Amino acid sequence: MPFSNRKILLGVTGGIAVYKALELTRLLKKQGADVRVVMTKSATAFVQPLSFQALSGHSVHFELLDTEAENAMGHIELARWADVFVMAPATANTLAKIAHGLADDLVSTLYLAATCPIYVAPAMNHAMWKHPATQANLKILQTHGVNLIAPESGEQACGEIGVGRMAEPETICRGVLQTPAHEDDFGYTGRCNLPLQKSGVCKTPLRIIITAGATREPLDPVRYLTNRSSGKMGYALAVAAQKSGANVTLISGVTHTAPPLNCHFIQVETAEQMHTAVFENLENCDIFIGAAAVADYRPIVCGDEKIKKNAEQITLTLQKNPDILANVAALDSPPFTVGFAAETHELERYAREKLTRKKLNMIAANWVGRDEGGFERDENALEVFWRDGQQSLAMTEKSELARQLITLISERYYAKN
Ligand code: C5P
């Protein structure tokens, strides 16, 4: 199970959206998470605690001053137990209480006691959502590092139309499970803002497109030209970007690596297909990372029939492929664009030349054709260049290298924006 034993504390407060929290519990359990539910008194008026108990497999906590419950697992213990605390639905009242440090029930007390990443999925009438008091409370919560899963717009239970409907359980489940299991998994504390989310009350994730893997350029129905890229670096970048809070689209050539969960994954084969997929998905893209080893040339003709081995020599005529990275960077308002350069010699000179010629914001260069690192390996080292700076990332596992590169990209992205 992908998220086995991820400990999720679900705080359910009193609104009609409580019924959706049942579905959220089911979805989290389906992903392998261990879910414990805490309810406010008014939440229990909408749905019986027994329903949450049946779905979560644990008795539900709702009393702050209950000796029996405190003996079983006290509120401090519950707060310590959780990897993530999500309040869904979070009412205007609970948001106001936690913003101001009130702790008069179990949910709001747990908010103060928990040190793990915290999410709120508000649900309320659209006028209550828009009220300056609610918006001010959300701003305060943002300064506490709380992650907002923004409510959606649409018809509300009260019959009116507007923003305030709780996000769908699938959206909340996805958001919550993208949090690293432990603070030190990703090097920053859960309450801090994730680096790849736009600041503001509604912390929307940055949209990142990553290309990965090798393209295949068909010669005939059974043969193709390709290269030695495994796709491991691009996939590791996708995971690292997701853990940093980004919304990731991974556009990949054929690889032997399973795509990360919860990212928008598009499989392609040729450079032209990759080019089309990138341009079809570019809308609202904040950062583009071209980690794919795109074939520079493709056979000019690809027949329907297998090429026969009659002639002693044959000649292949190749046509240059579109340069996806350069075309993205050449847009009128391009995303923050990061390229890769694999070089056998004069690494800095060639990498900097590419940075300028392709009008990139950043380029990550690595040596190839040497003993360690590079294609098909689990480790690599990078020299990263931008117009007025550079940084070396030492040889390490690609997952760790990806984490370091994503951190550097987010720093440069915010320095530019
Ligand atoms: O020019 P060169 O191929 O060495 O540049 C490498 C960088 O350009 C990589 O980031 C690669 O993903 C990207 N690229 C591309 N489309 C191509 C060729 C390379 O996006 N046709």
Side-chain angles (χ1 to χ4, degrees):
M1 287 259 222
F3 295 95
S4 49
N5 301 326
R6 185 69 61 89
K7 300 189 198 85
I8 312 279
L9 186 58
L10 173 60
V12 182
T13 70
I16 182 64
V18 171
Y19 77 93
K20 285 188 178 175
L22 289 172
E23 175 64 0
L24 175 61
T25 310
R26 197 187 66 78
L27 290 174
L28 289 166
K29 288 286 290 181
K30 206 170 137 200
Q31 292 290 325
D34 190 3
V35 184
R36 285 182 182 266
V37 180
V38 181
M39 298 175 82
T40 60
K41 260 249 153 34
S42 50
T44 62
F46 289 92
V47 170
Q48 287 292 319
L50 199 58
S51 307
F52 283 102
Q53 180 176 317
L55 286 169
S56 69
H58 294 294
S59 51
V60 173
H61 303 249
F62 39 87
E63 295 288 0
L64 181 58
L65 306 171
D66 177 336
T67 344
E68 228 172 82
E70 285 291 298
N71 275 342
M73 195 188 238
H75 62 278
I76 299 293
E77 240 174 297
L78 257 182
R80 280 205 202 113
W81 169 86
D83 291 325
V84 181
F85 180 22
V86 53
M87 281 165 260
T91 57
N93 177 53
T94 291
L95 293 175
K97 282 201 295 192
I98 62 176
H100 295 280
L102 297 182
D104 63 350
D105 61 19
L106 191 51
V107 173
S108 52
T109 304
L110 284 169
Y111 174 75
L112 288 183
T115 53
C116 60
I118 297 190
Y119 287 78
V120 290
M124 65 197 73
N125 163 275
H126 65 100
M128 292 170 72
W129 170 252
K130 271 199 302 222
H131 196 283
T134 303
Q135 291 303 313
N137 290 333
L138 285 163
K139 283 210 174 86
I140 294 173
L141 290 175
Q142 196 195 5
T143 66
H144 299 178
V146 170
N147 300 291
L148 174 72
I149 302 174
E152 293 169 1
S153 173
E155 192 174 344
Q156 302 205 278
C158 55
E160 294 175 15
I161 292 180
V163 179
R165 204 168 69 178
M166 188 175 86
E168 288 307 313
E170 291 78 13
T171 312
I172 303 173
C173 180
R174 225 181 8 252
V176 166
L177 291 180
Q178 77 187 1
T179 311
H182 303 288
E183 289 179 0
D184 54 1
D185 274 6
F186 217 58
Y188 47 78
T189 59
R191 287 272 185 125
C192 295
N193 292 337
L194 293 172
L196 292 180
Q197 293 194 331
K198 286 177 190 148
S199 51
V201 175
C202 295
K203 294 206 307 179
T204 40
L206 291 185
R207 262 210 80 213
I208 301 199
I209 298 182
I210 299 172
T211 65
T215 62
R216 287 176 174 177
E217 310 299 329
L219 277 165
D220 69 16
V222 289
R223 304 180 181 98
Y224 50 78
L225 298 178
T226 191
N227 59 66
R228 295 166 58 152
S229 167
S230 61
K232 284 179 183 163
M233 190 66 213
Y235 281 48
L237 284 166
V239 172
Q242 253 185 345
K243 284 183 174 176
S244 290
N247 174 339
V248 178
T249 298
L250 178 62
I251 301 175
S252 172
V254 181
T255 69
H256 297 293
T257 311
L261 282 172
N262 298 330
C263 80
H264 178 206
F265 180 73
I266 302 172
Q267 168 99 69
V268 295
E269 200 170 333
T270 66
E272 285 185 300
Q273 287 170 3
M274 188 174 273
H275 190 270
T276 305
V278 166
F279 276 78
E280 277 175 1
N281 284 277
L282 266 182
E283 203 179 340
N284 300 325
C285 172
D286 300 294
I287 299 176
F288 176 82
I289 307 176
V294 186
D296 291 328
Y297 293 92
R298 65 178 179 275
I300 209 156
V301 281
C302 168
D304 293 339
E305 286 179 23
K306 193 176 162 192
I307 300 168
K308 293 288 170 211
K309 58 169 182 220
N310 299 329
E312 254 339 280
Q313 289 188 347
I314 59 166
T315 304
L316 291 177
T317 308
L318 303 176
Q319 170 70 47
K320 202 168 191 178
N321 270 327
D323 192 315
I324 304 166
L325 184 64
N327 289 352
V328 170
L331 289 168
D332 283 345
S333 47
F336 185 90
T337 311
V338 183
F340 273 75
E343 305 293 347
T344 51
H345 56 287
E346 294 200 64
L347 184 103
E348 175 160 1
R349 185 160 79 84
Y350 286 122
R352 282 209 175 273
E353 181 274 321
K354 251 173 232 178
L355 180 78
T356 315
R357 176 169 47 83
K358 298 197 189 192
K359 299 193 174 69
L360 309 178
N361 296 99
M362 236 177 160
I363 192 153
N366 66 292
W367 291 105
V368 283
R370 294 186 164 196
D371 280 350
E372 75 287 352
F375 287 147
E376 296 169 313
R377 308 288 175 95
D378 290 325
E379 291 197 325
N380 208 359
L382 292 171
E383 293 292 332
V384 189
F385 303 98
W386 56 98
R387 206 181 53 172
D388 47 10
Q390 73 181 78
Q391 189 164 323
S392 302
L393 302 180
M395 180 68 67
T396 183
E397 295 265 320
K398 284 182 176 170
S399 54
E400 168 57 18
L401 193 64
R403 189 188 75 80
Q404 293 176 13
L405 184 57
I406 288 292
T407 304
L408 194 54
I409 290 172
S410 72
E411 281 167 18
R412 300 310 314 156
Y413 170 82
Y414 286 111
K416 179 179 173 282
N417 287 284

